[in-house]
Amino acid sequence: MSNWYSESSPLERRTFWASFGGWALDALDVQMFGLAIPALIAAFGISKADAGLLGSVTLFFGAFGGWLGGALGDRFGRVRALQITVATFALATFACAFAMSFTQLLVLKAIQGLGFGAEWACGAVLMAEIIRPEHRGKALGSVQSAWAVGWGAAVLLSALVFTYAPADIAWRLLFALGLLPALLIIFIRRGLKEPARAVASEKTPFFATLSGIFHRDVLRSTLIGGLFGIGAHGGYAALTTFLPTYLREVRHLSVLGSSGYLAVIIVAFFCGCVASGIVSDRIGRRANVAFFASACIATVLVYIFAPLTNGEMLVLGFPLGFFSAGIPASMAALFSELYPAGVRGTGVGFCYNFGRVVSAAFPFLVGFLSDHIGLGPAIGIDAAFAYSLVLIAVLLLPETRGKVFEQAAATRA
Protein backbone atom coordinates (compact mmCIF):
# COMPACT_ATOMS: atom_id res chain seq x y z
CA MET A 1 0.00 0.00 0.00
CA SER A 2 2.73 2.48 0.97
CA ASN A 3 4.96 1.52 -1.94
CA TRP A 4 2.70 2.89 -4.67
CA TYR A 5 2.23 6.15 -2.77
CA SER A 6 5.95 6.62 -2.13
CA GLU A 7 6.63 6.05 -5.83
CA SER A 8 4.01 8.62 -6.86
CA SER A 9 4.88 12.04 -8.23
CA PRO A 10 3.68 15.24 -6.49
CA LEU A 11 0.94 15.60 -9.11
CA GLU A 12 -0.23 12.03 -8.55
CA ARG A 13 -0.40 12.65 -4.80
CA ARG A 14 -2.29 15.94 -5.12
CA THR A 15 -4.75 14.30 -7.49
CA PHE A 16 -5.20 11.39 -5.11
CA TRP A 17 -6.04 13.59 -2.14
CA ALA A 18 -8.38 15.78 -4.19
CA SER A 19 -10.26 12.70 -5.42
CA PHE A 20 -10.18 11.09 -1.97
CA GLY A 21 -11.51 14.23 -0.29
CA GLY A 22 -14.23 14.77 -2.85
CA TRP A 23 -15.52 11.23 -2.52
CA ALA A 24 -15.37 11.30 1.30
CA LEU A 25 -17.36 14.51 1.47
CA ASP A 26 -19.73 13.15 -1.16
CA ALA A 27 -20.36 10.15 1.08
CA LEU A 28 -20.90 12.42 4.06
CA ASP A 29 -23.75 14.16 2.25
CA VAL A 30 -25.38 11.03 0.85
CA GLN A 31 -25.17 8.86 3.98
CA MET A 32 -26.75 11.57 6.08
CA PHE A 33 -30.03 10.72 4.39
CA GLY A 34 -30.07 7.06 5.45
CA LEU A 35 -29.31 8.07 9.03
CA ALA A 36 -32.05 10.71 9.02
CA ILE A 37 -34.83 8.49 7.61
CA PRO A 38 -36.63 7.87 10.95
CA ALA A 39 -36.66 11.62 11.66
CA LEU A 40 -37.85 12.44 8.14
CA ILE A 41 -40.69 9.92 8.41
CA ALA A 42 -41.82 11.63 11.61
CA ALA A 43 -41.28 15.19 10.37
CA PHE A 44 -43.25 14.88 7.13
CA GLY A 45 -45.63 12.07 8.11
CA ILE A 46 -44.47 9.83 5.25
CA SER A 47 -44.27 6.04 4.85
CA LYS A 48 -41.15 3.91 4.45
CA ALA A 49 -41.99 3.63 0.76
CA ASP A 50 -41.98 7.44 0.51
CA ALA A 51 -38.64 7.55 2.32
CA GLY A 52 -37.34 4.97 -0.11
CA LEU A 53 -38.57 7.15 -2.96
CA LEU A 54 -36.34 9.98 -1.74
CA GLY A 55 -33.36 7.65 -1.94
CA SER A 56 -34.46 6.36 -5.32
CA VAL A 57 -34.76 9.88 -6.77
CA THR A 58 -31.20 10.66 -5.68
CA LEU A 59 -29.92 7.51 -7.36
CA PHE A 60 -32.00 8.07 -10.50
CA PHE A 61 -30.76 11.59 -11.08
CA GLY A 62 -27.27 10.51 -10.07
CA ALA A 63 -27.29 8.26 -13.13
CA PHE A 64 -27.87 11.18 -15.49
CA GLY A 65 -25.45 13.32 -13.51
CA GLY A 66 -22.71 10.75 -13.99
CA TRP A 67 -23.30 10.47 -17.73
CA LEU A 68 -23.44 14.24 -18.20
CA GLY A 69 -20.53 14.90 -15.84
CA GLY A 70 -18.35 12.38 -17.63
CA ALA A 71 -19.17 13.97 -20.98
CA LEU A 72 -18.44 17.45 -19.61
CA GLY A 73 -15.06 16.18 -18.43
CA ASP A 74 -14.33 14.75 -21.87
CA ARG A 75 -15.34 18.00 -23.54
CA PHE A 76 -14.12 20.74 -21.20
CA GLY A 77 -11.68 19.02 -18.83
CA ARG A 78 -11.85 16.93 -15.64
CA VAL A 79 -10.74 19.63 -13.19
CA ARG A 80 -13.23 22.26 -14.33
CA ALA A 81 -16.07 19.73 -14.29
CA LEU A 82 -15.01 18.53 -10.83
CA GLN A 83 -15.28 22.05 -9.40
CA ILE A 84 -18.82 22.44 -10.72
CA THR A 85 -20.04 19.06 -9.50
CA VAL A 86 -18.65 19.42 -5.96
CA ALA A 87 -20.40 22.78 -5.64
CA THR A 88 -23.68 21.33 -6.96
CA PHE A 89 -24.08 18.48 -4.49
CA ALA A 90 -22.77 20.51 -1.54
CA LEU A 91 -25.22 23.38 -2.08
CA ALA A 92 -28.13 21.00 -2.75
CA THR A 93 -27.47 19.12 0.49
CA PHE A 94 -27.28 22.37 2.41
CA ALA A 95 -30.59 23.49 0.91
CA CYS A 96 -32.24 20.25 2.11
CA ALA A 97 -31.93 21.62 5.64
CA PHE A 98 -34.54 24.24 4.79
CA ALA A 99 -37.09 21.99 3.06
CA MET A 100 -40.59 22.65 4.34
CA SER A 101 -42.40 19.82 2.57
CA PHE A 102 -41.85 16.36 1.17
CA THR A 103 -42.07 17.73 -2.38
CA GLN A 104 -39.36 20.33 -1.75
CA LEU A 105 -37.09 17.69 -0.27
CA LEU A 106 -37.75 15.44 -3.26
CA VAL A 107 -36.64 18.17 -5.70
CA LEU A 108 -33.51 19.00 -3.70
CA LYS A 109 -32.54 15.33 -3.46
CA ALA A 110 -32.82 15.13 -7.25
CA ILE A 111 -30.42 18.08 -7.66
CA GLN A 112 -28.08 16.50 -5.13
CA GLY A 113 -28.12 13.33 -7.19
CA LEU A 114 -27.04 15.18 -10.34
CA GLY A 115 -23.95 16.56 -8.59
CA PHE A 116 -23.26 13.32 -6.74
CA GLY A 117 -23.15 11.19 -9.88
CA ALA A 118 -21.13 13.71 -11.86
CA GLU A 119 -18.51 14.20 -9.13
CA TRP A 120 -17.52 10.55 -9.06
CA ALA A 121 -17.19 10.31 -12.83
CA CYS A 122 -14.93 13.35 -13.06
CA GLY A 123 -12.75 12.46 -10.07
CA ALA A 124 -12.36 8.77 -10.85
CA VAL A 125 -11.28 9.28 -14.46
CA LEU A 126 -8.94 12.11 -13.50
CA MET A 127 -7.22 9.79 -11.03
CA ALA A 128 -7.20 6.87 -13.47
CA GLU A 129 -5.47 8.97 -16.12
CA ILE A 130 -2.89 10.47 -13.74
CA ILE A 131 -1.77 7.32 -11.90
CA ARG A 132 0.58 4.83 -13.54
CA PRO A 133 -0.99 1.55 -14.78
CA GLU A 134 0.72 -0.81 -12.33
CA HIS A 135 -0.77 1.10 -9.38
CA ARG A 136 -4.14 2.06 -10.87
CA GLY A 137 -6.15 -0.58 -8.98
CA LYS A 138 -4.52 0.21 -5.64
CA ALA A 139 -4.84 3.97 -6.04
CA LEU A 140 -8.48 3.90 -7.14
CA GLY A 141 -9.36 1.30 -4.51
CA SER A 142 -7.89 3.66 -1.91
CA VAL A 143 -9.90 6.56 -3.37
CA GLN A 144 -13.06 4.45 -3.06
CA SER A 145 -12.22 3.78 0.59
CA ALA A 146 -12.86 7.48 1.16
CA TRP A 147 -16.55 6.56 1.06
CA ALA A 148 -16.04 4.82 4.41
CA VAL A 149 -14.42 7.95 5.82
CA GLY A 150 -17.39 10.10 4.79
CA TRP A 151 -19.83 7.44 5.91
CA GLY A 152 -18.13 7.23 9.31
CA ALA A 153 -18.19 11.00 9.65
CA ALA A 154 -21.92 10.97 8.88
CA VAL A 155 -22.54 8.33 11.57
CA LEU A 156 -20.54 10.29 14.15
CA LEU A 157 -22.29 13.55 13.30
CA SER A 158 -25.66 11.81 13.39
CA ALA A 159 -24.98 10.29 16.80
CA LEU A 160 -23.89 13.65 18.20
CA VAL A 161 -26.63 15.75 16.62
CA PHE A 162 -29.50 13.37 17.44
CA THR A 163 -28.21 12.95 21.00
CA TYR A 164 -28.07 16.65 21.82
CA ALA A 165 -30.76 18.14 19.57
CA PRO A 166 -34.48 17.36 19.14
CA ALA A 167 -35.13 15.05 16.18
CA ASP A 168 -37.17 17.67 14.29
CA ILE A 169 -34.15 20.01 14.35
CA ALA A 170 -31.33 17.45 14.27
CA TRP A 171 -31.94 16.25 10.71
CA ARG A 172 -31.86 19.85 9.49
CA LEU A 173 -28.52 20.43 11.22
CA LEU A 174 -27.13 17.31 9.54
CA PHE A 175 -28.04 18.51 6.06
CA ALA A 176 -26.74 22.03 6.80
CA LEU A 177 -23.31 20.53 7.40
CA GLY A 178 -23.40 19.31 3.82
CA LEU A 179 -21.97 22.65 2.73
CA LEU A 180 -18.52 21.53 3.90
CA PRO A 181 -17.58 19.86 0.58
CA ALA A 182 -17.61 23.28 -1.08
CA LEU A 183 -14.33 24.02 0.71
CA LEU A 184 -12.70 21.32 -1.38
CA ILE A 185 -13.22 23.44 -4.50
CA ILE A 186 -10.41 25.75 -3.36
CA PHE A 187 -7.97 22.86 -3.26
CA ILE A 188 -9.18 21.45 -6.57
CA ARG A 189 -8.66 24.81 -8.27
CA ARG A 190 -5.13 25.33 -6.96
CA GLY A 191 -3.55 21.90 -6.80
CA LEU A 192 -4.46 19.94 -9.92
CA LYS A 193 -3.31 19.74 -13.52
CA GLU A 194 -5.57 18.84 -16.41
CA PRO A 195 -4.51 15.60 -18.17
CA ALA A 196 -3.56 16.58 -21.71
CA ARG A 197 -5.49 13.75 -23.33
CA ALA A 198 -8.67 14.08 -21.26
CA VAL A 199 -10.33 16.84 -23.27
CA ALA A 200 -12.25 15.95 -26.41
CA SER A 201 -12.22 18.44 -29.27
CA GLU A 202 -14.51 21.39 -28.56
CA LYS A 203 -15.55 21.24 -32.21
CA THR A 204 -17.24 17.91 -31.50
CA PRO A 205 -20.98 18.36 -30.78
CA PHE A 206 -21.77 17.66 -27.15
CA PHE A 207 -24.42 15.13 -28.11
CA ALA A 208 -21.77 13.26 -30.12
CA THR A 209 -19.66 13.02 -26.96
CA LEU A 210 -22.64 11.69 -24.99
CA SER A 211 -23.56 9.12 -27.63
CA GLY A 212 -19.99 8.06 -28.41
CA ILE A 213 -20.19 5.23 -25.90
CA PHE A 214 -22.83 3.56 -28.12
CA HIS A 215 -20.48 3.31 -31.09
CA ARG A 216 -20.10 -0.28 -32.23
CA ASP A 217 -16.45 -0.37 -31.09
CA VAL A 218 -17.41 0.10 -27.44
CA LEU A 219 -21.11 -0.80 -27.36
CA ARG A 220 -20.56 -4.21 -25.79
CA SER A 221 -18.53 -2.69 -22.96
CA THR A 222 -21.23 -0.09 -22.40
CA LEU A 223 -24.08 -2.61 -22.19
CA ILE A 224 -22.28 -5.05 -19.91
CA GLY A 225 -20.81 -2.23 -17.84
CA GLY A 226 -24.33 -0.89 -17.36
CA LEU A 227 -25.48 -4.29 -16.07
CA PHE A 228 -22.49 -4.32 -13.71
CA GLY A 229 -23.54 -0.90 -12.42
CA ILE A 230 -27.12 -2.04 -11.82
CA GLY A 231 -25.98 -4.92 -9.65
CA ALA A 232 -23.31 -2.98 -7.77
CA HIS A 233 -25.50 -0.02 -6.91
CA GLY A 234 -28.65 -2.06 -6.44
CA GLY A 235 -27.00 -4.27 -3.85
CA TYR A 236 -25.40 -1.39 -2.00
CA ALA A 237 -28.55 0.76 -2.05
CA ALA A 238 -30.79 -2.11 -0.91
CA LEU A 239 -28.44 -2.88 1.94
CA THR A 240 -27.43 0.53 3.27
CA THR A 241 -30.44 2.79 2.73
CA PHE A 242 -32.56 1.02 5.32
CA LEU A 243 -29.82 -0.64 7.42
CA PRO A 244 -29.89 2.06 10.16
CA THR A 245 -33.68 1.76 10.28
CA TYR A 246 -33.44 -2.05 10.43
CA LEU A 247 -31.00 -1.92 13.35
CA ARG A 248 -33.20 0.48 15.29
CA GLU A 249 -36.71 -0.76 14.52
CA VAL A 250 -36.17 -4.50 14.04
CA ARG A 251 -33.13 -5.11 16.27
CA HIS A 252 -34.34 -2.40 18.71
CA LEU A 253 -30.98 -0.67 19.06
CA SER A 254 -30.68 2.95 20.15
CA VAL A 255 -29.09 5.62 17.96
CA LEU A 256 -25.78 5.18 19.78
CA GLY A 257 -26.17 1.40 19.77
CA SER A 258 -26.83 1.19 16.05
CA SER A 259 -23.89 3.53 15.44
CA GLY A 260 -21.60 0.90 16.96
CA TYR A 261 -22.82 -1.73 14.51
CA LEU A 262 -22.47 0.69 11.61
CA ALA A 263 -18.96 1.59 12.78
CA VAL A 264 -17.85 -2.03 12.39
CA ILE A 265 -19.27 -2.19 8.85
CA ILE A 266 -17.71 1.15 7.93
CA VAL A 267 -14.22 0.21 9.14
CA ALA A 268 -14.56 -3.07 7.26
CA PHE A 269 -15.66 -1.19 4.14
CA PHE A 270 -12.50 0.92 4.28
CA CYS A 271 -10.34 -2.19 4.64
CA GLY A 272 -12.22 -3.96 1.85
CA CYS A 273 -11.66 -1.10 -0.60
CA VAL A 274 -7.92 -1.06 0.01
CA ALA A 275 -7.67 -4.85 -0.13
CA SER A 276 -9.69 -5.03 -3.34
CA GLY A 277 -7.38 -2.53 -5.02
CA ILE A 278 -4.30 -4.53 -4.07
CA VAL A 279 -5.79 -7.85 -5.14
CA SER A 280 -7.10 -6.35 -8.37
CA ASP A 281 -3.60 -5.30 -9.43
CA ARG A 282 -2.25 -8.76 -8.57
CA ILE A 283 -4.81 -11.25 -9.90
CA GLY A 284 -6.76 -9.09 -12.38
CA ARG A 285 -10.03 -7.19 -12.43
CA ARG A 286 -12.33 -10.09 -13.33
CA ALA A 287 -11.16 -12.60 -10.73
CA ASN A 288 -11.19 -9.94 -8.02
CA VAL A 289 -14.77 -8.84 -8.70
CA ALA A 290 -16.02 -12.44 -9.03
CA PHE A 291 -14.59 -13.27 -5.60
CA PHE A 292 -16.08 -10.24 -3.85
CA ALA A 293 -19.49 -10.59 -5.53
CA SER A 294 -19.79 -14.25 -4.50
CA ALA A 295 -18.75 -13.42 -0.96
CA CYS A 296 -21.29 -10.57 -0.82
CA ILE A 297 -24.19 -12.83 -1.73
CA ALA A 298 -23.32 -15.38 0.94
CA THR A 299 -22.64 -12.82 3.67
CA VAL A 300 -25.78 -10.73 3.10
CA LEU A 301 -28.01 -13.80 3.27
CA VAL A 302 -26.43 -14.97 6.52
CA TYR A 303 -26.52 -11.48 8.07
CA ILE A 304 -30.23 -10.98 7.36
CA PHE A 305 -31.74 -14.47 7.53
CA ALA A 306 -29.66 -16.40 10.08
CA PRO A 307 -31.01 -16.33 13.66
CA LEU A 308 -28.16 -14.23 15.00
CA THR A 309 -27.86 -12.52 18.35
CA ASN A 310 -26.94 -8.84 18.42
CA GLY A 311 -23.40 -9.82 19.40
CA GLU A 312 -23.09 -12.20 16.46
CA MET A 313 -24.41 -9.52 14.13
CA LEU A 314 -21.73 -7.17 15.40
CA VAL A 315 -19.03 -9.72 14.51
CA LEU A 316 -20.55 -10.56 11.12
CA GLY A 317 -20.75 -6.86 10.32
CA PHE A 318 -17.05 -6.87 9.48
CA PRO A 319 -17.17 -9.39 6.61
CA LEU A 320 -20.41 -7.76 5.43
CA GLY A 321 -18.73 -4.38 5.11
CA PHE A 322 -15.46 -5.86 3.82
CA PHE A 323 -16.94 -7.85 0.94
CA SER A 324 -19.46 -5.18 -0.07
CA ALA A 325 -16.54 -2.77 -0.54
CA GLY A 326 -14.67 -4.91 -3.06
CA ILE A 327 -17.11 -4.35 -5.91
CA PRO A 328 -17.28 -0.52 -5.98
CA ALA A 329 -13.53 -0.34 -5.28
CA SER A 330 -12.83 -2.14 -8.56
CA MET A 331 -15.21 -0.20 -10.79
CA ALA A 332 -13.19 2.97 -11.50
CA ALA A 333 -10.12 1.12 -12.73
CA LEU A 334 -12.08 -1.47 -14.71
CA PHE A 335 -14.41 0.99 -16.44
CA SER A 336 -11.61 3.46 -17.19
CA GLU A 337 -9.67 0.72 -18.94
CA LEU A 338 -12.60 -0.22 -21.17
CA TYR A 339 -12.71 3.09 -23.09
CA PRO A 340 -10.45 5.27 -25.29
CA ALA A 341 -9.58 8.83 -24.25
CA GLY A 342 -12.25 10.72 -26.23
CA VAL A 343 -15.15 8.99 -24.45
CA ARG A 344 -13.47 7.67 -21.31
CA GLY A 345 -15.20 10.03 -18.91
CA THR A 346 -18.55 9.52 -20.62
CA GLY A 347 -18.15 5.75 -20.55
CA VAL A 348 -17.08 5.59 -16.92
CA GLY A 349 -19.83 7.99 -15.87
CA PHE A 350 -22.45 6.02 -17.77
CA CYS A 351 -21.44 2.52 -16.63
CA TYR A 352 -20.98 3.49 -13.01
CA ASN A 353 -24.12 5.59 -12.84
CA PHE A 354 -26.47 3.89 -15.31
CA GLY A 355 -27.00 1.27 -12.67
CA ARG A 356 -28.64 3.98 -10.62
CA VAL A 357 -31.49 4.31 -13.14
CA VAL A 358 -32.57 0.75 -12.42
CA SER A 359 -31.09 0.43 -8.93
CA ALA A 360 -33.05 3.53 -7.96
CA ALA A 361 -35.99 1.14 -7.63
CA PHE A 362 -34.24 -1.01 -5.02
CA PRO A 363 -34.70 1.28 -1.96
CA PHE A 364 -38.35 1.78 -2.95
CA LEU A 365 -38.81 -1.98 -3.33
CA VAL A 366 -37.23 -2.61 0.06
CA GLY A 367 -39.64 -0.16 1.64
CA PHE A 368 -42.60 -1.62 -0.26
CA LEU A 369 -41.75 -5.27 0.41
CA SER A 370 -41.07 -4.56 4.07
CA ASP A 371 -44.80 -3.96 4.54
CA HIS A 372 -45.47 -7.53 3.36
CA ILE A 373 -42.51 -9.71 4.36
CA GLY A 374 -40.66 -7.59 6.90
CA LEU A 375 -37.76 -5.17 6.56
CA GLY A 376 -34.97 -7.74 7.08
CA PRO A 377 -36.10 -10.23 4.38
CA ALA A 378 -36.78 -7.35 1.97
CA ILE A 379 -33.21 -6.08 2.36
CA GLY A 380 -31.67 -9.56 2.05
CA ILE A 381 -33.57 -10.67 -1.07
CA ASP A 382 -33.01 -7.41 -2.96
CA ALA A 383 -29.31 -7.22 -2.12
CA ALA A 384 -28.54 -10.86 -2.98
CA PHE A 385 -30.29 -10.57 -6.35
CA ALA A 386 -28.40 -7.39 -7.21
CA TYR A 387 -24.97 -8.85 -6.38
CA SER A 388 -25.80 -11.85 -8.57
CA LEU A 389 -26.04 -9.44 -11.53
CA VAL A 390 -22.50 -8.22 -10.81
CA LEU A 391 -21.20 -11.77 -10.93
CA ILE A 392 -22.84 -12.38 -14.32
CA ALA A 393 -21.60 -9.09 -15.79
CA VAL A 394 -17.97 -9.38 -14.78
CA LEU A 395 -17.70 -12.83 -16.37
CA LEU A 396 -18.68 -11.24 -19.70
CA LEU A 397 -16.10 -8.43 -19.59
CA PRO A 398 -12.48 -8.66 -20.83
CA GLU A 399 -9.47 -8.52 -18.51
CA THR A 400 -7.99 -5.00 -18.59
CA ARG A 401 -5.33 -5.00 -15.85
CA GLY A 402 -2.21 -3.02 -16.75
CA LYS A 403 -3.68 -1.14 -19.72
CA VAL A 404 -1.51 1.86 -20.67
CA PHE A 405 -3.42 5.05 -21.46
CA GLU A 406 -2.43 7.53 -24.15
CA GLN A 407 0.35 9.98 -23.23
CA ALA A 408 0.44 8.52 -19.72
CA ALA A 409 4.05 9.46 -18.94
CA ALA A 410 3.59 13.04 -20.13
CA THR A 411 0.53 13.55 -17.97
CA ARG A 412 2.21 12.38 -14.76
CA ALA A 413 5.28 14.56 -15.19
Side-chain angles (χ1 to χ4, degrees):
M1 176 65 187
S2 60
N3 288 341
W4 77 262
Y5 188 81
S6 63
E7 295 173 4
S8 300
S9 68
L11 176 59
E12 287 176 306
R13 295 179 186 181
R14 288 196 303 271
T15 306
F16 169 76
W17 287 114
S19 300
F20 187 97
W23 195 230
L25 294 170
D26 211 341
L28 173 67
D29 285 2
V30 172
Q31 292 301 132
M32 283 177 181
F33 167 70
L35 296 163
I37 283 179
L40 293 174
I41 290 174
F44 294 110
I46 59 177
S47 65
K48 288 187 178 69
D50 290 330
L53 180 61
L54 287 170
S56 295
V57 163
T58 306
L59 296 175
F60 184 82
F61 279 86
F64 292 100
W67 189 11
L68 292 172
L72 287 172
D74 283 335
R75 180 71 179 275
F76 302 110
R78 314 287 186 223
V79 177
R80 188 188 308 178
L82 197 57
Q83 293 174 18
I84 296 171
T85 58
V86 170
T88 299
F89 77 73
L91 292 173
T93 304
F94 179 73
C96 286
F98 304 96
M100 301 305 296
S101 68
F102 176 76
T103 301
Q104 291 179 6
L105 189 59
L106 196 68
V107 172
L108 291 170
K109 289 292 290 179
I111 297 172
Q112 183 196 51
L114 287 173
F116 166 65
E119 187 277 336
W120 186 91
C122 297
V125 178
L126 175 65
M127 188 65 196
E129 291 178 337
I130 291 293
I131 199 70
R132 60 201 70 193
E134 62 270 24
H135 298 320
R136 189 175 294 131
K138 293 184 284 291
L140 286 168
S142 298
V143 167
Q144 192 71 31
S145 72
W147 186 267
V149 175
W151 190 2
V155 171
L156 290 175
L157 286 173
S158 174
L160 289 173
V161 171
F162 277 97
T163 297
Y164 295 105
D168 58 335
I169 298 176
W171 70 267
R172 295 185 183 275
L173 292 176
L174 270 183
F175 285 132
L177 292 171
L179 192 61
L180 292 176
L183 299 176
L184 186 69
I185 297 175
I186 299 174
F187 178 79
I188 292 173
R189 184 176 300 163
R190 297 180 57 186
L192 302 185
K193 175 183 177 182
E194 189 65 45
R197 68 192 173 283
V199 184
S201 172
E202 295 194 8
K203 295 181 181 180
T204 304
F206 186 67
F207 178 77
T209 303
L210 278 173
S211 60
I213 57 173
F214 300 109
H215 189 275
R216 62 178 180 273
D217 293 341
V218 293
L219 178 59
R220 186 175 187 275
S221 295
T222 299
L223 294 177
I224 300 175
L227 178 64
F228 190 121
I230 291 172
H233 290 297
Y236 181 84
L239 181 62
T240 61
T241 299
F242 279 102
L243 187 58
T245 304
Y246 171 76
L247 292 174
R248 295 173 197 173
E249 295 188 359
V250 178
R251 305 299 302 197
H252 305 296
L253 298 171
S254 65
V255 172
L256 289 175
S258 64
S259 296
Y261 284 75
L262 291 175
V264 172
I265 295 175
I266 292 167
V267 171
F269 189 92
F270 179 92
C271 296
C273 284
V274 176
S276 178
I278 294 172
V279 174
S280 179
D281 278 340
R282 290 185 179 178
I283 69 173
R285 314 301 188 216
R286 296 174 77 246
N288 179 64
V289 173
F291 166 73
F292 276 96
S294 300
C296 274
I297 295 170
T299 308
V300 166
L301 292 177
V302 172
Y303 189 83
I304 295 297
F305 290 105
L308 303 175
T309 65
N310 285 347
E312 290 169 338
M313 285 192 70
L314 183 65
V315 173
L316 190 61
F318 191 89
L320 178 68
F322 184 88
F323 292 129
S324 67
I327 297 172
S330 65
M331 292 169 74
L334 174 59
F335 291 160
S336 295
E337 292 163 346
L338 290 174
Y339 291 94
V343 294
R344 181 169 296 129
T346 311
V348 171
F350 180 86
C351 290
Y352 187 87
N353 291 286
F354 173 75
R356 290 191 171 121
V357 174
V358 179
S359 71
F362 280 77
F364 176 77
L365 287 175
V366 170
F368 177 78
L369 290 175
S370 68
D371 293 333
H372 302 278
I373 62 175
L375 185 57
I379 293 173
I381 291 172
D382 277 20
F385 171 74
Y387 287 131
S388 297
L389 297 180
V390 174
L391 187 58
I392 294 171
V394 76
L395 296 177
L396 298 175
L397 289 173
E399 179 57 57
T400 58
R401 177 181 54 161
K403 181 177 180 179
V404 178
F405 291 156
E406 310 85 343
Q407 303 176 8
T411 302
R412 287 195 301 271

